[in-house]
Amino acid sequence: MLVLLFWSTLSAAAETGGRLQSNFRLGIQCEGGCPWLNFEDSLIWQPHLRSSPSPNVRLRIEPQLRVYASPLLTDIDESQSQYALQPFDLQPVVLSLSHQAAYWKNTVGYQRMAWGVGTGMRVLDNINPFDLRDPTRFDQRLSVPMWRSQITGQKAGVDFAFVPIHTPARLPRTTVSLLPDAKTLFDAGEDAPPLDIRDARGSILAPDRTLPNSQTAVRGFWVGRRTDIGLSWFHGFDSLPQADGTFMLTGFQTDSDRVDVGIPLTYPRLDIVGLDLKTQLPASILAWAELGLFLPAQTTVTASESQLNALVTLGALDAVPDPLPVVDTQDGEPYLRWIVGAERLIGPVYLNLQWLHGFPTERCNDELKDYGLWLVHYNPIPELRLESSGATDAEGIWLSGGILAILDDSWEIGVHGIWIEGPNTSSLAFLSDASQVRLQVGTSY
């Protein structure tokens, strides 16, 4: 009641509005019955309030309420189960207070700081962690508490951010996994532990919430008549976890000598030096490029001698290896990721082509691959849009298409399909379980 009273008091002299959206997803990469996909977005309500208590002060409040099916709900029969509850999630998208004084602006609170100049996938957008509850949306980020300070002149400026608390990425609840499976991890060369793994489970170790573990970033930019250039530096942590530490034995299957292991997952330290460029080319073509030099920490997985001695006693190993096995999950060597793209509007058709070097889950030089990306929108009439997009690394393929209709200038109804497949050597293969047909209904007010 107090929250509603506070909201109504502010909204009396403020701009208010919001969006309501519902999504229904059915998996299509399946054998037998196809499951409903839980991307935690069955119903999303996102109201907003923007107020200016004084000419130089700006208040923004934009919470997001998500209601979604239980992780136990995978088919229609289970919808009658007493355990198929309706979980919900309430989080701030924006909860900030800003002050503008001439060329200097300071903002504190929960906010989203989007760096990079591309459309969709961005190499240099690393201050806010990934929001991968929908694992097909690597362009989505979570808001985090930060202090942002901007000094902007007519031709140049500086953008600074300080994030006191590390916030990890939100990972999908579905069967889509963004981490190496046990077979991949323990078959990584001659130094891998000589174990037959039945199951591997991760245990996440987050950085301590202390000042030395805060994150900082700074970007300087120059705005030209046709070309914009930016230089940036980020110091903090990777928002995606990585296997790092000593694994523990959690189970042993005597009839087949197979073991279960628990693997510690950490968020490695990471520095990124970036260069971005956007320019207007002839024929109304807008082009951009982002280049990032990634300086990651090294991460390794190893076994303790006492754990291996226990396997010798059980008969799963003949002897403890000497030296003890060590697997580099991230070699710590610098690597480059980049994206180059261009877009053009041709009548009712919007065309976007991009070349990406290095997917976000590829974090070593020998993992980096090249991807072609494309996006096409066609609006035969203002109230109707046909969409097509995709990506390929020459082995796997990601195809997406759909139709979106706008009714009464406020309601949207869309049907979309995504198909992802590829061999195990393709980085797109791990997303195949996210193949789907989606029905979307939404309205803004």
Side-chain angles (χ1 to χ4, degrees):
M1 180 64 73
L2 290 176
V3 173
L4 293 175
L5 179 62
F6 175 69
W7 184 275
S8 62
T9 302
L10 284 176
S11 61
E15 173 193 344
T16 61
R19 179 168 176 80
L20 187 66
Q21 180 173 320
S22 179
N23 297 286
F24 172 84
R25 304 172 188 271
L26 180 67
I28 55 177
Q29 282 270 32
C30 48
E31 297 180 2
C34 290
W36 309 127
L37 297 182
N38 178 16
F39 289 172
E40 302 185 29
D41 60 354
S42 300
L43 180 66
I44 303 176
W45 179 43
Q46 189 169 314
H48 69 254
L49 182 148
R50 302 180 180 96
S51 177
S52 296
S54 70
N56 295 330
V57 176
R58 182 78 166 166
L59 172 67
R60 292 188 60 191
I61 301 176
E62 193 169 335
Q64 184 184 84
L65 175 65
R66 289 178 173 236
V67 181
Y68 45 89
S70 165
L72 298 175
L73 181 61
T74 57
D75 57 43
I76 292 178
D77 292 338
E78 292 178 357
S79 65
Q80 304 302 316
S81 169
Q82 61 176 327
Y83 300 105
L85 305 177
Q86 281 286 332
F88 67 92
D89 183 20
L90 180 62
Q91 63 185 33
V93 175
V94 182
L95 181 57
S96 66
L97 189 66
S98 62
H99 179 267
Q100 179 86 47
Y103 299 107
W104 190 15
K105 181 180 180 180
N106 288 278
T107 307
V108 294
Y110 277 86
Q111 52 191 304
R112 167 81 168 92
M113 187 173 176
W115 278 2
V117 294
T119 301
M121 190 77 74
R122 294 183 176 182
V123 169
L124 301 179
D125 192 1
N126 296 284
I127 300 170
N128 294 77
F130 287 104
D131 183 0
L132 293 173
R133 286 172 288 190
D134 179 351
T136 66
R137 295 295 303 274
F138 277 85
D139 58 333
Q140 297 294 298
R141 300 292 191 276
L142 296 170
S143 298
V144 296
M146 73 168 71
W147 165 44
R148 182 179 186 181
S149 185
Q150 301 164 270
I151 300 175
T152 305
Q154 294 182 347
K155 292 291 185 179
V158 177
D159 201 350
F160 171 82
F162 173 75
V163 181
I165 300 173
H166 173 261
T167 301
R170 290 289 295 269
L171 300 179
R173 285 178 178 265
T174 64
T175 55
V176 175
S177 176
L178 301 177
L179 300 174
D181 58 20
K183 180 175 177 59
T184 301
L185 189 63
F186 289 96
D187 286 350
E190 297 179 355
D191 294 331
L195 302 175
D196 187 3
I197 305 297
R198 182 181 65 174
D199 185 36
R201 296 184 180 273
S203 176
I204 293 180
L205 305 175
D208 294 332
R209 295 189 170 186
T210 59
L211 186 60
N213 287 335
S214 59
Q215 302 183 127
T216 55
V218 63
R219 177 177 181 265
F221 59 91
W222 175 78
V223 180
R225 188 171 64 90
R226 299 181 64 90
T227 302
D228 302 341
I229 299 175
L231 290 171
S232 61
W233 169 68
F234 167 81
H235 173 74
F237 295 88
D238 197 330
S239 70
L240 293 175
Q242 181 65 278
D244 183 25
T246 303
F247 71 83
M248 301 294 293
L249 300 177
T250 59
F252 177 68
Q253 193 173 13
T254 56
D255 58 347
S256 61
D257 289 343
R258 304 183 74 193
V259 298
D260 301 335
V261 297
I263 302 173
L265 302 175
T266 65
Y267 298 93
R269 286 192 176 273
L270 178 65
D271 285 81
I272 304 171
V273 180
L275 168 67
D276 61 76
L277 180 147
K278 177 178 283 189
T279 186
Q280 186 69 49
L281 299 177
S284 301
I285 297 175
L286 182 65
W288 63 87
E290 298 179 23
L291 173 66
L293 174 62
F294 287 69
L295 307 170
Q298 183 180 16
T299 58
T300 59
V301 172
T302 186
S304 69
E305 187 173 1
S306 60
Q307 293 276 296
L308 295 179
N309 273 322
L311 288 178
V312 173
T313 302
L314 292 170
L317 289 178
D318 295 331
V320 175
D322 185 20
L324 293 176
V326 176
V327 175
D328 283 332
T329 55
Q330 192 167 286
D331 58 21
E333 294 296 323
Y335 61 91
L336 291 172
R337 288 182 53 213
W338 68 77
I339 188 167
V340 178
E343 63 181 18
R344 186 169 188 247
L345 187 63
I346 310 171
V349 178
Y350 168 78
L351 178 62
N352 183 310
L353 300 175
Q354 302 182 53
W355 172 28
L356 172 68
H357 180 71
F359 208 69
T361 55
E362 299 167 354
R363 292 177 278 184
C364 297
N365 282 296
D366 58 357
E367 296 178 352
L368 299 176
K369 293 185 177 182
D370 292 286
Y371 300 83
L373 298 85
W374 63 91
L375 171 65
V376 181
H377 288 171
Y378 172 54
N379 291 79
I381 57 175
E383 297 80 15
L384 187 66
R385 185 171 75 193
L386 305 178
E387 305 173 345
S388 176
S389 62
T392 182
D393 60 356
E395 293 182 308
I397 188 72
W398 174 332
L399 296 174
S400 175
I403 182 171
L404 182 68
I406 301 176
L407 308 177
D408 297 329
D409 295 327
S410 60
W411 284 92
E412 299 175 359
I413 300 178
V415 178
H416 304 266
I418 298 178
W419 179 266
I420 308 173
E421 67 174 354
N424 292 334
T425 53
S426 171
S427 295
L428 298 176
F430 68 91
L431 289 171
S432 61
D433 286 340
S435 299
Q436 62 183 274
V437 173
R438 172 170 65 99
L439 173 64
Q440 167 195 334
V441 179
T443 183
S444 300
Y445 58 91

